PDB file of all heavy atoms in Angstrom:
ATOM      1  N   LEU A  49     145.319 -10.316  -1.570  1.00 90.00           N
ATOM      2  CA  LEU A  49     144.455 -10.959  -2.593  1.00 90.00           C
ATOM      3  C   LEU A  49     145.117 -10.854  -3.954  1.00 90.00           C
ATOM      4  O   LEU A  49     145.173 -11.838  -4.698  1.00 90.00           O
ATOM      5  CB  LEU A  49     143.101 -10.332  -2.622  1.00 90.00           C
ATOM      6  CG  LEU A  49     142.244 -10.505  -1.421  1.00 90.00           C
ATOM      7  CD1 LEU A  49     140.908  -9.750  -1.592  1.00 90.00           C
ATOM      8  CD2 LEU A  49     142.016 -11.974  -1.113  1.00 90.00           C
ATOM      9  N   GLN A  50     145.672  -9.701  -4.292  1.00 91.00           N
ATOM     10  CA  GLN A  50     146.332  -9.560  -5.564  1.00 91.00           C
ATOM     11  C   GLN A  50     147.559 -10.465  -5.663  1.00 91.00           C
ATOM     12  O   GLN A  50     147.831 -11.105  -6.679  1.00 91.00           O
ATOM     13  CB  GLN A  50     146.763  -8.109  -5.807  1.00 91.00           C
ATOM     14  CG  GLN A  50     145.509  -7.246  -6.127  1.00 91.00           C
ATOM     15  CD  GLN A  50     145.944  -5.753  -6.329  1.00 91.00           C
ATOM     16  OE1 GLN A  50     147.098  -5.391  -6.034  1.00 91.00           O
ATOM     17  NE2 GLN A  50     145.005  -5.006  -6.812  1.00 91.00           N
ATOM     18  N   ASP A  51     148.342 -10.545  -4.565  1.00 89.00           N
ATOM     19  CA  ASP A  51     149.564 -11.366  -4.592  1.00 89.00           C
ATOM     20  C   ASP A  51     149.289 -12.853  -4.572  1.00 89.00           C
ATOM     21  O   ASP A  51     149.803 -13.643  -5.319  1.00 89.00           O
ATOM     22  CB  ASP A  51     150.381 -11.004  -3.392  1.00 89.00           C
ATOM     23  CG  ASP A  51     150.946  -9.543  -3.463  1.00 89.00           C
ATOM     24  OD1 ASP A  51     150.916  -8.988  -4.528  1.00 89.00           O
ATOM     25  OD2 ASP A  51     151.384  -9.057  -2.414  1.00 89.00           O
ATOM     26  N   GLN A  52     148.391 -13.245  -3.620  1.00 86.00           N
ATOM     27  CA  GLN A  52     148.211 -14.684  -3.375  1.00 86.00           C
ATOM     28  C   GLN A  52     147.282 -15.386  -4.478  1.00 86.00           C
ATOM     29  O   GLN A  52     147.476 -16.492  -4.834  1.00 86.00           O
ATOM     30  CB  GLN A  52     147.578 -14.909  -2.027  1.00 86.00           C
ATOM     31  CG  GLN A  52     148.543 -14.550  -0.885  1.00 86.00           C
ATOM     32  CD  GLN A  52     149.744 -15.453  -0.845  1.00 86.00           C
ATOM     33  OE1 GLN A  52     149.653 -16.708  -1.039  1.00 86.00           O
ATOM     34  NE2 GLN A  52     150.937 -14.875  -0.699  1.00 86.00           N
ATOM     35  N   PHE A  53     146.306 -14.610  -4.940  1.00 84.00           N
ATOM     36  CA  PHE A  53     145.357 -15.135  -5.936  1.00 84.00           C
ATOM     37  C   PHE A  53     145.621 -14.699  -7.293  1.00 84.00           C
ATOM     38  O   PHE A  53     144.860 -15.005  -8.213  1.00 84.00           O
ATOM     39  CB  PHE A  53     143.896 -14.835  -5.504  1.00 84.00           C
ATOM     40  CG  PHE A  53     143.450 -15.470  -4.258  1.00 84.00           C
ATOM     41  CD1 PHE A  53     143.226 -14.713  -3.129  1.00 84.00           C
ATOM     42  CD2 PHE A  53     143.250 -16.859  -4.156  1.00 84.00           C
ATOM     43  CE1 PHE A  53     142.770 -15.265  -1.953  1.00 84.00           C
ATOM     44  CE2 PHE A  53     142.849 -17.417  -2.944  1.00 84.00           C
ATOM     45  CZ  PHE A  53     142.586 -16.645  -1.852  1.00 84.00           C
ATOM     46  N   GLU A  54     146.680 -13.942  -7.445  1.00 83.00           N
ATOM     47  CA  GLU A  54     146.992 -13.366  -8.781  1.00 83.00           C
ATOM     48  C   GLU A  54     145.808 -12.626  -9.369  1.00 83.00           C
ATOM     49  O   GLU A  54     145.541 -12.737 -10.531  1.00 83.00           O
ATOM     50  CB  GLU A  54     147.569 -14.467  -9.706  1.00 83.00           C
ATOM     51  CG  GLU A  54     148.761 -15.144  -9.163  1.00 83.00           C
ATOM     52  CD  GLU A  54     149.173 -16.329 -10.030  1.00 83.00           C
ATOM     53  OE1 GLU A  54     148.716 -16.479 -11.134  1.00 83.00           O
ATOM     54  OE2 GLU A  54     150.065 -17.099  -9.521  1.00 83.00           O
ATOM     55  N   LEU A  55     145.130 -11.835  -8.576  1.00 86.00           N
ATOM     56  CA  LEU A  55     143.951 -11.100  -8.995  1.00 86.00           C
ATOM     57  C   LEU A  55     144.394  -9.796  -9.624  1.00 86.00           C
ATOM     58  O   LEU A  55     145.416  -9.158  -9.261  1.00 86.00           O
ATOM     59  CB  LEU A  55     143.054 -10.766  -7.841  1.00 86.00           C
ATOM     60  CG  LEU A  55     142.408 -11.979  -7.089  1.00 86.00           C
ATOM     61  CD1 LEU A  55     141.571 -11.465  -5.972  1.00 86.00           C
ATOM     62  CD2 LEU A  55     141.651 -12.807  -8.044  1.00 86.00           C
ATOM     63  N   ARG A  56     143.672  -9.437 -10.651  1.00 87.00           N
ATOM     64  CA  ARG A  56     143.851  -8.179 -11.278  1.00 87.00           C
ATOM     65  C   ARG A  56     143.072  -7.077 -10.433  1.00 87.00           C
ATOM     66  O   ARG A  56     142.214  -7.474  -9.670  1.00 87.00           O
ATOM     67  CB  ARG A  56     143.373  -8.129 -12.700  1.00 87.00           C
ATOM     68  CG  ARG A  56     144.107  -9.199 -13.546  1.00 87.00           C
ATOM     69  CD  ARG A  56     143.393  -9.335 -14.893  1.00 87.00           C
ATOM     70  NE  ARG A  56     142.027  -9.822 -14.550  1.00 87.00           N
ATOM     71  CZ  ARG A  56     141.087 -10.224 -15.394  1.00 87.00           C
ATOM     72  NH1 ARG A  56     141.326 -10.059 -16.699  1.00 87.00           N
ATOM     73  NH2 ARG A  56     139.974 -10.623 -15.018  1.00 87.00           N
ATOM     74  N   ARG A  57     143.345  -5.817 -10.698  1.00 85.00           N
ATOM     75  CA  ARG A  57     142.629  -4.766  -9.984  1.00 85.00           C
ATOM     76  C   ARG A  57     141.094  -4.943 -10.240  1.00 85.00           C
ATOM     77  O   ARG A  57     140.278  -4.717  -9.364  1.00 85.00           O
ATOM     78  CB  ARG A  57     143.076  -3.421 -10.403  1.00 85.00           C
ATOM     79  CG  ARG A  57     144.478  -3.158  -9.949  1.00 85.00           C
ATOM     80  CD  ARG A  57     145.008  -1.941 -10.544  1.00 85.00           C
ATOM     81  NE  ARG A  57     145.078  -0.849  -9.476  1.00 85.00           N
ATOM     82  CZ  ARG A  57     145.464   0.332  -9.677  1.00 85.00           C
ATOM     83  NH1 ARG A  57     145.777   0.739 -10.856  1.00 85.00           N
ATOM     84  NH2 ARG A  57     145.496   1.108  -8.695  1.00 85.00           N
ATOM     85  N   TYR A  58     140.721  -5.278 -11.460  1.00 88.00           N
ATOM     86  CA  TYR A  58     139.350  -5.472 -11.821  1.00 88.00           C
ATOM     87  C   TYR A  58     138.724  -6.598 -10.917  1.00 88.00           C
ATOM     88  O   TYR A  58     137.541  -6.407 -10.450  1.00 88.00           O
ATOM     89  CB  TYR A  58     139.212  -5.920 -13.278  1.00 88.00           C
ATOM     90  CG  TYR A  58     137.766  -6.319 -13.614  1.00 88.00           C
ATOM     91  CD1 TYR A  58     136.804  -5.379 -13.881  1.00 88.00           C
ATOM     92  CD2 TYR A  58     137.472  -7.682 -13.694  1.00 88.00           C
ATOM     93  CE1 TYR A  58     135.520  -5.752 -14.191  1.00 88.00           C
ATOM     94  CE2 TYR A  58     136.178  -8.060 -13.989  1.00 88.00           C
ATOM     95  CZ  TYR A  58     135.211  -7.107 -14.257  1.00 88.00           C
ATOM     96  OH  TYR A  58     133.952  -7.525 -14.538  1.00 88.00           O
ATOM     97  N   ASP A  59     139.422  -7.673 -10.728  1.00 89.00           N
ATOM     98  CA  ASP A  59     138.909  -8.769  -9.877  1.00 89.00           C
ATOM     99  C   ASP A  59     138.677  -8.305  -8.478  1.00 89.00           C
ATOM    100  O   ASP A  59     137.658  -8.651  -7.859  1.00 89.00           O
ATOM    101  CB  ASP A  59     139.908  -9.967  -9.881  1.00 89.00           C
ATOM    102  CG  ASP A  59     140.049 -10.483 -11.307  1.00 89.00           C
ATOM    103  OD1 ASP A  59     139.138 -10.579 -12.065  1.00 89.00           O
ATOM    104  OD2 ASP A  59     141.194 -10.936 -11.565  1.00 89.00           O
ATOM    105  N   VAL A  60     139.612  -7.514  -7.978  1.00 88.00           N
ATOM    106  CA  VAL A  60     139.465  -7.034  -6.607  1.00 88.00           C
ATOM    107  C   VAL A  60     138.252  -6.102  -6.482  1.00 88.00           C
ATOM    108  O   VAL A  60     137.496  -6.145  -5.515  1.00 88.00           O
ATOM    109  CB  VAL A  60     140.775  -6.285  -6.156  1.00 88.00           C
ATOM    110  CG1 VAL A  60     140.581  -5.652  -4.759  1.00 88.00           C
ATOM    111  CG2 VAL A  60     141.961  -7.299  -6.094  1.00 88.00           C
ATOM    112  N   ARG A  61     138.082  -5.250  -7.438  1.00 88.00           N
ATOM    113  CA  ARG A  61     136.890  -4.406  -7.482  1.00 88.00           C
ATOM    114  C   ARG A  61     135.577  -5.237  -7.528  1.00 88.00           C
ATOM    115  O   ARG A  61     134.597  -4.887  -6.856  1.00 88.00           O
ATOM    116  CB  ARG A  61     136.943  -3.369  -8.576  1.00 88.00           C
ATOM    117  CG  ARG A  61     137.915  -2.302  -8.413  1.00 88.00           C
ATOM    118  CD  ARG A  61     137.707  -1.060  -9.368  1.00 88.00           C
ATOM    119  NE  ARG A  61     137.378  -1.443 -10.770  1.00 88.00           N
ATOM    120  CZ  ARG A  61     138.290  -1.581 -11.696  1.00 88.00           C
ATOM    121  NH1 ARG A  61     139.617  -1.437 -11.463  1.00 88.00           N
ATOM    122  NH2 ARG A  61     137.911  -1.847 -12.962  1.00 88.00           N
ATOM    123  N   ARG A  62     135.613  -6.251  -8.297  1.00 89.00           N
ATOM    124  CA  ARG A  62     134.455  -7.153  -8.419  1.00 89.00           C
ATOM    125  C   ARG A  62     134.101  -7.750  -7.077  1.00 89.00           C
ATOM    126  O   ARG A  62     133.007  -7.830  -6.676  1.00 89.00           O
ATOM    127  CB  ARG A  62     134.720  -8.173  -9.463  1.00 89.00           C
ATOM    128  CG  ARG A  62     133.584  -9.113  -9.718  1.00 89.00           C
ATOM    129  CD  ARG A  62     133.846  -9.962 -10.916  1.00 89.00           C
ATOM    130  NE  ARG A  62     133.106 -11.193 -10.766  1.00 89.00           N
ATOM    131  CZ  ARG A  62     133.442 -12.316 -11.421  1.00 89.00           C
ATOM    132  NH1 ARG A  62     134.452 -12.363 -12.244  1.00 89.00           N
ATOM    133  NH2 ARG A  62     132.736 -13.387 -11.259  1.00 89.00           N
ATOM    134  N   ILE A  63     135.104  -8.237  -6.383  1.00 90.00           N
ATOM    135  CA  ILE A  63     134.900  -8.757  -5.027  1.00 90.00           C
ATOM    136  C   ILE A  63     134.348  -7.699  -4.148  1.00 90.00           C
ATOM    137  O   ILE A  63     133.437  -7.958  -3.326  1.00 90.00           O
ATOM    138  CB  ILE A  63     136.198  -9.393  -4.512  1.00 90.00           C
ATOM    139  CG1 ILE A  63     136.640 -10.637  -5.270  1.00 90.00           C
ATOM    140  CG2 ILE A  63     136.049  -9.733  -2.976  1.00 90.00           C
ATOM    141  CD1 ILE A  63     138.009 -11.113  -5.023  1.00 90.00           C
ATOM    142  N   GLY A  64     134.903  -6.494  -4.178  1.00 88.00           N
ATOM    143  CA  GLY A  64     134.431  -5.407  -3.404  1.00 88.00           C
ATOM    144  C   GLY A  64     132.957  -5.150  -3.600  1.00 88.00           C
ATOM    145  O   GLY A  64     132.226  -4.824  -2.654  1.00 88.00           O
ATOM    146  N   ARG A  65     132.547  -5.196  -4.867  1.00 87.00           N
ATOM    147  CA  ARG A  65     131.129  -4.968  -5.206  1.00 87.00           C
ATOM    148  C   ARG A  65     130.220  -6.055  -4.668  1.00 87.00           C
ATOM    149  O   ARG A  65     129.100  -5.823  -4.215  1.00 87.00           O
ATOM    150  CB  ARG A  65     130.902  -4.788  -6.650  1.00 87.00           C
ATOM    151  CG  ARG A  65     131.395  -3.486  -7.228  1.00 87.00           C
ATOM    152  CD  ARG A  65     130.888  -3.261  -8.625  1.00 87.00           C
ATOM    153  NE  ARG A  65     131.340  -4.315  -9.578  1.00 87.00           N
ATOM    154  CZ  ARG A  65     132.475  -4.281 -10.245  1.00 87.00           C
ATOM    155  NH1 ARG A  65     133.340  -3.316 -10.125  1.00 87.00           N
ATOM    156  NH2 ARG A  65     132.797  -5.314 -11.075  1.00 87.00           N
ATOM    157  N   ASN A  66     130.743  -7.317  -4.720  1.00 89.00           N
ATOM    158  CA  ASN A  66     129.897  -8.475  -4.362  1.00 89.00           C
ATOM    159  C   ASN A  66     130.044  -9.024  -2.940  1.00 89.00           C
ATOM    160  O   ASN A  66     129.152  -9.646  -2.446  1.00 89.00           O
ATOM    161  CB  ASN A  66     130.156  -9.592  -5.351  1.00 89.00           C
ATOM    162  CG  ASN A  66     129.873  -9.229  -6.804  1.00 89.00           C
ATOM    163  OD1 ASN A  66     128.886  -8.503  -7.038  1.00 89.00           O
ATOM    164  ND2 ASN A  66     130.591  -9.668  -7.724  1.00 89.00           N
ATOM    165  N   ALA A  67     131.214  -8.756  -2.343  1.00 92.00           N
ATOM    166  CA  ALA A  67     131.489  -9.277  -1.043  1.00 92.00           C
ATOM    167  C   ALA A  67     132.499  -8.361  -0.297  1.00 92.00           C
ATOM    168  O   ALA A  67     133.547  -8.770   0.076  1.00 92.00           O
ATOM    169  CB  ALA A  67     132.133 -10.718  -1.200  1.00 92.00           C
ATOM    170  N   ALA A  68     132.044  -7.164  -0.034  1.00 93.00           N
ATOM    171  CA  ALA A  68     132.925  -6.142   0.646  1.00 93.00           C
ATOM    172  C   ALA A  68     133.377  -6.625   1.957  1.00 93.00           C
ATOM    173  O   ALA A  68     134.466  -6.188   2.434  1.00 93.00           O
ATOM    174  CB  ALA A  68     132.194  -4.862   0.701  1.00 93.00           C
ATOM    175  N   TYR A  69     132.681  -7.496   2.576  1.00 93.00           N
ATOM    176  CA  TYR A  69     133.027  -7.959   3.955  1.00 93.00           C
ATOM    177  C   TYR A  69     134.369  -8.665   3.935  1.00 93.00           C
ATOM    178  O   TYR A  69     135.059  -8.819   4.944  1.00 93.00           O
ATOM    179  CB  TYR A  69     131.956  -8.912   4.512  1.00 93.00           C
ATOM    180  CG  TYR A  69     131.615 -10.018   3.587  1.00 93.00           C
ATOM    181  CD1 TYR A  69     132.324 -11.186   3.555  1.00 93.00           C
ATOM    182  CD2 TYR A  69     130.477  -9.941   2.741  1.00 93.00           C
ATOM    183  CE1 TYR A  69     132.044 -12.275   2.696  1.00 93.00           C
ATOM    184  CE2 TYR A  69     130.249 -10.960   1.840  1.00 93.00           C
ATOM    185  CZ  TYR A  69     130.930 -12.095   1.829  1.00 93.00           C
ATOM    186  OH  TYR A  69     130.630 -13.123   0.952  1.00 93.00           O
ATOM    187  N   VAL A  70     134.809  -9.185   2.799  1.00 94.00           N
ATOM    188  CA  VAL A  70     136.060  -9.884   2.698  1.00 94.00           C
ATOM    189  C   VAL A  70     137.236  -8.903   3.105  1.00 94.00           C
ATOM    190  O   VAL A  70     138.181  -9.393   3.654  1.00 94.00           O
ATOM    191  CB  VAL A  70     136.325 -10.387   1.244  1.00 94.00           C
ATOM    192  CG1 VAL A  70     137.692 -10.827   1.029  1.00 94.00           C
ATOM    193  CG2 VAL A  70     135.303 -11.565   0.984  1.00 94.00           C
ATOM    194  N   PHE A  71     137.112  -7.638   2.838  1.00 94.00           N
ATOM    195  CA  PHE A  71     138.189  -6.688   3.121  1.00 94.00           C
ATOM    196  C   PHE A  71     138.300  -6.376   4.620  1.00 94.00           C
ATOM    197  O   PHE A  71     139.153  -5.663   4.987  1.00 94.00           O
ATOM    198  CB  PHE A  71     137.954  -5.409   2.333  1.00 94.00           C
ATOM    199  CG  PHE A  71     138.110  -5.729   0.861  1.00 94.00           C
ATOM    200  CD1 PHE A  71     136.986  -5.836   0.049  1.00 94.00           C
ATOM    201  CD2 PHE A  71     139.344  -5.784   0.261  1.00 94.00           C
ATOM    202  CE1 PHE A  71     137.104  -6.173  -1.316  1.00 94.00           C
ATOM    203  CE2 PHE A  71     139.435  -6.133  -1.071  1.00 94.00           C
ATOM    204  CZ  PHE A  71     138.354  -6.223  -1.906  1.00 94.00           C
ATOM    205  N   CYS A  72     137.429  -6.941   5.443  1.00 94.00           N
ATOM    206  CA  CYS A  72     137.480  -6.723   6.914  1.00 94.00           C
ATOM    207  C   CYS A  72     138.094  -7.893   7.615  1.00 94.00           C
ATOM    208  O   CYS A  72     138.227  -7.879   8.849  1.00 94.00           O
ATOM    209  CB  CYS A  72     136.089  -6.498   7.451  1.00 94.00           C
ATOM    210  SG  CYS A  72     135.309  -4.957   6.789  1.00 94.00           S
ATOM    211  N   VAL A  73     138.520  -8.888   6.883  1.00 93.00           N
ATOM    212  CA  VAL A  73     139.146 -10.129   7.511  1.00 93.00           C
ATOM    213  C   VAL A  73     140.524  -9.766   8.068  1.00 93.00           C
ATOM    214  O   VAL A  73     141.273  -9.011   7.479  1.00 93.00           O
ATOM    215  CB  VAL A  73     139.260 -11.218   6.404  1.00 93.00           C
ATOM    216  CG1 VAL A  73     139.988 -12.391   6.927  1.00 93.00           C
ATOM    217  CG2 VAL A  73     137.901 -11.568   5.904  1.00 93.00           C
ATOM    218  N   GLU A  74     140.824 -10.454   9.249  1.00 93.00           N
ATOM    219  CA  GLU A  74     142.189 -10.323   9.825  1.00 93.00           C
ATOM    220  C   GLU A  74     143.177 -10.876   8.845  1.00 93.00           C
ATOM    221  O   GLU A  74     142.955 -12.013   8.266  1.00 93.00           O
ATOM    222  CB  GLU A  74     142.193 -11.091  11.154  1.00 93.00           C
ATOM    223  CG  GLU A  74     141.419 -10.418  12.250  1.00 93.00           C
ATOM    224  CD  GLU A  74     142.076  -9.227  12.802  1.00 93.00           C
ATOM    225  OE1 GLU A  74     143.358  -9.008  12.665  1.00 93.00           O
ATOM    226  OE2 GLU A  74     141.379  -8.439  13.451  1.00 93.00           O
ATOM    227  N   LEU A  75     144.294 -10.195   8.643  1.00 92.00           N
ATOM    228  CA  LEU A  75     145.264 -10.679   7.690  1.00 92.00           C
ATOM    229  C   LEU A  75     145.892 -12.003   8.043  1.00 92.00           C
ATOM    230  O   LEU A  75     146.067 -12.873   7.108  1.00 92.00           O
ATOM    231  CB  LEU A  75     146.444  -9.635   7.586  1.00 92.00           C
ATOM    232  CG  LEU A  75     146.081  -8.386   6.812  1.00 92.00           C
ATOM    233  CD1 LEU A  75     147.237  -7.351   6.905  1.00 92.00           C
ATOM    234  CD2 LEU A  75     145.776  -8.682   5.375  1.00 92.00           C
ATOM    235  N   ASP A  76     146.136 -12.297   9.309  1.00 92.00           N
ATOM    236  CA  ASP A  76     146.740 -13.604   9.688  1.00 92.00           C
ATOM    237  C   ASP A  76     145.824 -14.706   9.341  1.00 92.00           C
ATOM    238  O   ASP A  76     146.160 -15.743   8.895  1.00 92.00           O
ATOM    239  CB  ASP A  76     147.169 -13.567  11.089  1.00 92.00           C
ATOM    240  CG  ASP A  76     148.304 -12.714  11.421  1.00 92.00           C
ATOM    241  OD1 ASP A  76     149.144 -12.430  10.439  1.00 92.00           O
ATOM    242  OD2 ASP A  76     148.531 -12.331  12.583  1.00 92.00           O
TER     243      ASP A  76
END
Side-chain angles (χ1 to χ4, degrees):
L49 294 177
Q50 287 178 348
D51 294 345
Q52 295 294 316
F53 294 110
E54 300 175 12
L55 297 179
R56 300 167 300 183
R57 293 172 107 182
Y58 169 80
D59 297 325
V60 174
R61 285 196 318 267
R62 183 172 153 200
I63 291 168
R65 286 191 302 270
N66 298 324
Y69 54 84
V70 167
F71 296 98
C72 296
V73 174
E74 292 283 341
L75 286 175
D76 290 339

